[in-house]
């Protein structure tokens, strides 16, 4: 075939084929966008999120909008059932239960969140150190963890609260002192599951190639722990933290119900249950509505935790 014939053939083929087709490129999805897509398909988790957000907003904004202050009492309206003026009824001293639930929810939810932060911080540090360094230090920290797990938490919680409540009140005042004592005790007795989760993740991740590469380029030990390994362990820690908030709220309610929590003039949900237990036959609304607030909050947090567990599971994240 001559050169001229070949040239004509190429020109004909170019006119026949036309311009190249450019296929649309798909934007790569991020880890968190996939987690959000998975979370949205968990209906109970979405419903729990809506209820939880509503409860938090109600406790923050509600006391400013409700016309009856939480600490105002009127003996003429004592033990009144639910009505338009008092939707949740009144206490034996004439307090509006709805106003006290709105105000007390701030403290109960704050105790759960702060106690969870204490437990997650302590458990993450212990688990990271044990999993990364291993050896004798790992054995010592894990035996200490086993010792704390074997101790019954509720009796120890009651004992520590009883022994130190007067000292904390003298140092920081009644409200702040009891708040600090309760969150420190609850957080200090619930870090063990987080420590085990973080340790297991560190034992698996410290052998990976990206950790060895970080060693080769001279990254410090703290940098490898906090910048390279720890971010990859956040999924189980987030789930454990979410469920820990619910557990802390229940524990604070149990303390207040047993009379070792906040004093009577601080209306947490658990304290309201404790104050209303003697009136349960004559005024069941005194325990019904605080108990319902605890139930709804804890249930919604548990559903959110289940949704996060499924959304952050790498085996299911790309299934949808």
């Amino acid at each position: 075939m001559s050169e001229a014939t070949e040239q004509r053939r190429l020109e004909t083929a170019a006119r026949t084929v036309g311009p190249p087709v450019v296929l649309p490129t798909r934007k790569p999805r991020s880890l968190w966008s996939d987690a959000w897509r998975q979370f949205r398909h968990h209906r109970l988790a979405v419903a729990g999120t809506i209820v939880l957000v509503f409860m938090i907003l109600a406790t923050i904004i509600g006391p400013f909008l409700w016309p009856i202050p939480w600490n105002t009492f009127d003996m003429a309206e004592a033990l009144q059932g639910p009505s338009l003026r008092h939707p949740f009824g009144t206490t034996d001293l004439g307090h509006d239960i709805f106003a006290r639930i709105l105000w007390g929810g701030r403290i109960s939810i704050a105790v759960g969140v702060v106690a969870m932060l204490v437990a997650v911080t302590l458990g993450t540090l212990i688990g990271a150190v044990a999993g990364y360094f291993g050896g004798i230090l790992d054995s010592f920290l894990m035996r200490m963890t086993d010792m704390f797990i074997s101790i019954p938490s509720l009796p120890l919680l009651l004992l520590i609260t009883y022994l130190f409540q007067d000292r904390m009140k003298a140092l920081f005042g009644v409200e702040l002192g009891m708040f600090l004592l309760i969150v420190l005790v609850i957080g200090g007795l619930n870090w063990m599951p987080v420590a085990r989760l973080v340790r297991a993740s560190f034992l698996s991740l410290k052998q990976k190639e990206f950790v060895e590469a970080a060693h080769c380029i001279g990254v410090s030990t703290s940098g490898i722990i906090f910048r390279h390994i720890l971010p990859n362990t956040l999924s189980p820690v987030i789930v454990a933290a979410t469920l820990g908030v619910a557990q802390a709220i229940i524990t604070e309610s149990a303390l207040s119900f047993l009379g070792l929590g906040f004093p009577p003039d601080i209306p947490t949900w658990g304290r309201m249950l404790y104050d209303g237990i003697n009136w349960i036959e004559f005024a069941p609304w005194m325990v019904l509505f605080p108990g319902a607030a605890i139930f709804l909050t804890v249930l919604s947090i548990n559903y959110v935790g289940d949704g996060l567990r499924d959304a952050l599971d790498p085996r299911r994240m790309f299934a949808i």
Side-chain angles (χ1 to χ4, degrees):
M1 183 182 296
S2 66
E3 183 177 349
T5 304
E6 179 67 17
Q7 182 66 27
R8 286 195 299 271
R9 188 185 69 81
L10 292 177
E11 292 176 356
T12 303
R15 288 194 299 268
T16 304
V17 174
V21 178
V22 179
L23 296 177
T25 59
R26 185 177 180 180
K27 184 179 180 180
R29 301 196 315 239
S30 65
L31 174 66
W32 296 109
S33 65
D34 285 311
W36 169 242
R37 292 173 65 253
Q38 181 71 34
F39 184 84
R40 285 183 302 171
H41 286 78
H42 198 298
R43 296 183 179 179
L44 291 177
V46 174
T49 302
I50 295 173
V51 173
L52 183 61
V53 171
F54 173 78
M55 296 289 289
I56 293 174
L57 292 178
T59 58
I60 294 175
I61 303 175
F64 299 103
L65 301 178
W66 189 245
I68 303 176
W70 65 271
N71 54 357
T72 298
F73 64 93
D74 185 359
M75 293 301 298
E77 296 185 345
L79 297 178
Q80 297 292 319
S83 62
L84 292 178
R85 175 173 171 78
H86 304 288
F88 291 174
T90 59
T91 67
D92 56 315
L93 297 178
H95 294 108
D96 183 70
I97 294 179
F98 183 69
R100 291 172 74 82
I101 286 179
L102 292 178
W103 183 266
R106 293 179 169 190
I107 302 174
S108 296
I109 295 176
V111 166
V113 173
V114 178
M116 175 271 298
L117 291 176
V118 173
V120 168
T121 302
L122 187 59
T124 300
L125 290 176
I126 293 176
V129 171
Y132 182 79
F133 293 102
I136 298 177
L137 186 59
D138 178 28
S139 299
F140 170 76
L141 292 176
M142 287 301 101
R143 298 298 77 75
M144 183 180 67
T145 303
D146 295 337
M147 180 185 68
F148 273 91
I149 291 177
S150 64
I151 298 175
S153 58
L154 185 58
L156 183 60
L157 184 66
L158 296 175
L159 178 62
I160 295 176
T161 305
Y162 177 77
L163 292 177
F164 291 97
Q165 60 179 347
D166 292 334
R167 185 173 300 178
M168 294 295 288
K169 290 178 183 178
L171 290 175
F172 301 101
V174 177
E175 185 173 354
L176 180 59
M178 286 305 301
F179 179 83
L180 292 175
L181 177 61
I182 289 175
V183 299
L184 289 175
V185 172
I186 294 176
L189 295 177
N190 289 278
W191 54 268
M192 295 81 72
V194 179
R196 286 184 171 275
L197 284 173
V198 174
R199 173 183 176 269
S201 298
F202 266 70
L203 289 175
S204 174
L205 291 173
K206 72 177 183 180
Q207 307 296 334
K208 299 295 184 180
E209 291 80 3
F210 68 91
V211 177
E212 296 179 1
H215 276 295
C216 295
I217 63 176
V219 179
S220 63
T221 301
S222 60
I224 293 175
I225 292 176
F226 293 105
R227 294 178 55 190
H228 295 275
I229 302 181
L230 188 58
N232 290 280
T233 67
L234 288 182
S235 298
V237 171
I238 290 174
V239 176
T242 306
L243 301 177
V245 174
Q247 182 62 37
I249 292 175
I250 294 176
T251 305
E252 183 277 324
S253 301
L255 276 178
S256 298
F257 182 77
L258 295 173
L260 289 176
F262 289 91
D265 57 338
I266 302 176
T268 65
W269 292 340
R271 185 71 205 192
M272 294 177 69
L273 287 176
Y274 176 77
D275 294 337
I277 194 65
N278 294 327
W279 301 93
I280 191 171
E281 295 183 3
F282 308 100
W285 54 85
M286 288 184 62
V287 297
L288 176 63
F289 292 109
I294 296 173
F295 172 77
L296 287 176
T297 304
V298 172
L299 184 65
S300 61
I301 292 174
N302 284 332
Y303 282 143
V304 171
D306 290 340
L308 289 175
R309 181 185 58 200
D310 293 342
L312 297 175
D313 187 352
R315 295 170 298 179
R316 305 179 62 175
M317 187 174 295
F318 301 99
I320 296 178

